[in-house]
Amino acid sequence: MREKAYDLMRGLGIILLLIFHAHIPMWLFTTIGLFFMPMFFMISGNFFRVKEGEGFAAYVGHKARRLMVPYLFFLVVSIVFHLLQAVLWHEPGTLKTEIGSILHRFAIGVTGDRASLCFLTIWFLVSLFEVSVLYWLMARIRSLRWRTVLSVVLFVVGYGLQVTKIELPFLLSSMCTLQLYFHLGYVFRQKGLDKQEVPLWVSATCLVIIFVGFNQANSLNEYRSNIFAPASVPLAVIATWSIYHLMRHLARSRYAESRAVSLLNMVGVESLVVYGLHRNFYFIIDGVARELGLSEGFTTCIMVPLTLAICLSLVGPLTRWVPRLIGK
């Protein structure tokens, strides 16, 4: 049985993602970027399980079907949209140049984390696959305490690689930092923190305080959603804890069946499709808006809800025709 609070969290995270990739002020961009991706990794770690008798190869195959197959599908779709954008809004003859640019970005992205444009905005799927596989190996360590020590060491190594610009292929440096959030999500459930009864005012107050803290920590962030300063770790963890309990209150409130909450829940359930497709429609909407001379603020106001509506409308056809390509 699905846990509604987690679906609501995913839904909120996806809406924050849509806002994050729109035209927004830098302070809001960095504040959202410091915690919404850690929240997704903590949610994933929360549900980490190794089935009885499931070997390493079986686990990797399962995760590849759920994450890497959708990644490849969304990557192909994104490349098609990039080429379409080149045809629609670039000068004649630039299509060949754009194809060469995509191949070049793919090549340098594979060989180095910082140049990971080949992963576009779907790098999360690659990193989550790597983190999940790594954590299966780490789970051989029975002691949570020693697993935590190893997670912290890997985080320090990954962050050190990123800030010193020592690049590893296939987002491996990001994997080192993000596995800490995955581990903390696992600990969150193992220690029963998801069963705590936390007053609504406590969760809301913590979240407000955390947002102030994030704005103070912005100088430590490199304005990329896959590099996290050590000081942002406790902030991201407390923000995730606060949002979970807020969503838990919402899921049990009289508003749980309202249209707004039902929509948020739907976005959470179908988060993979919205995540994988949203940036492509952003490119098209942004191009049309520029042609029409619309302001960035107005474009953002229509971009987020319109893209969300388009992506959700595609869930049904994709589920019927190509369910495996979207991880179902």
Side-chain angles (χ1 to χ4, degrees), residues 215-281:
N215 278 289
Q216 296 301 315
N218 277 348
S219 60
L220 300 175
N221 184 264
E222 297 193 24
Y223 306 115
R224 289 179 58 206
S225 60
N226 56 340
I227 294 181
F228 305 95
S232 70
V233 174
L235 298 176
V237 170
I238 297 173
T240 301
W241 175 86
S242 301
I243 291 172
Y244 168 76
H245 286 289
L246 284 174
M247 295 300 104
R248 193 175 180 213
H249 279 290
L250 184 58
R252 297 186 297 181
S253 73
R254 60 178 179 174
Y255 304 107
E257 302 303 322
S258 66
R259 289 185 178 181
V261 176
S262 296
L263 176 61
L264 188 62
N265 187 73
M266 182 190 303
V267 175
V269 172
E270 305 300 346
S271 56
L272 184 58
V273 173
V274 181
Y275 170 76
L277 295 178
H278 78 279
R279 200 63 186 270
N280 304 305
F281 297 110

Side-chain angles (χ1 to χ4, degrees), residues 2-14 35-49 63 124 128 178 181-186 188-189 240-241 243-244 247 268 271:
R2 297 190 70 97
E3 298 185 45
K4 192 169 185 178
Y6 286 105
D7 285 331
L8 293 176
M9 282 183 75
R10 290 190 189 94
L12 178 63
I14 288 296
F35 82 92
F36 85 99
M37 290 311 296
M39 183 173 75
F40 279 123
F41 278 91
M42 287 187 68
I43 292 173
S44 298
N46 195 282
F47 290 101
F48 174 80
R49 299 288 183 278
K63 286 300 176 182
F124 167 78
L128 183 56
L178 290 166
Y181 296 105
F182 190 93
H183 170 69
L184 292 174
Y186 179 76
F188 184 82
R189 171 160 286 195
T240 301
W241 175 86
I243 291 172
Y244 168 76
M247 295 300 104
S271 56

Side-chain angles (χ1 to χ4, degrees), residues 50 72 89 104 117 215 241 304:
V50 177
L72 293 173
W89 289 295
H104 174 68
L117 291 176
N215 278 289
W241 175 86
V304 173

Side-chain angles (χ1 to χ4, degrees), residues 74-90 94-95 98-99 101-102 105 117-121 279-281 283-284:
F74 293 133
L75 177 63
V76 171
V77 171
S78 296
I79 290 174
V80 170
F81 268 83
H82 269 69
L83 296 178
L84 178 62
Q85 185 187 22
V87 171
L88 292 177
W89 289 295
H90 289 219
T94 59
L95 181 59
E98 186 68 18
I99 293 174
S101 174
I102 289 173
R105 287 185 296 170
L117 291 176
C118 71
F119 301 109
L120 304 171
T121 58
R279 200 63 186 270
N280 304 305
F281 297 110
F283 288 138
I284 301 299

Side-chain angles (χ1 to χ4, degrees), residues 98-159:
E98 186 68 18
I99 293 174
S101 174
I102 289 173
L103 293 175
H104 174 68
R105 287 185 296 170
F106 187 87
I108 63 176
V110 166
T111 57
D113 184 10
R114 188 168 294 275
S116 59
L117 291 176
C118 71
F119 301 109
L120 304 171
T121 58
I122 51 176
W123 64 267
F124 167 78
L125 298 177
V126 179
S127 283
L128 183 56
F129 172 74
E130 293 173 343
V131 167
S132 299
V133 172
L134 173 64
Y135 202 75
W136 189 96
L137 297 173
M138 290 175 61
R140 304 307 95 190
I141 302 173
R142 297 298 182 184
S143 170
L144 272 181
R145 180 178 300 176
W146 284 110
R147 215 184 299 176
T148 301
V149 171
L150 178 57
S151 294
V152 172
V153 170
L154 287 172
F155 177 89
V156 172
V157 171
Y159 183 72

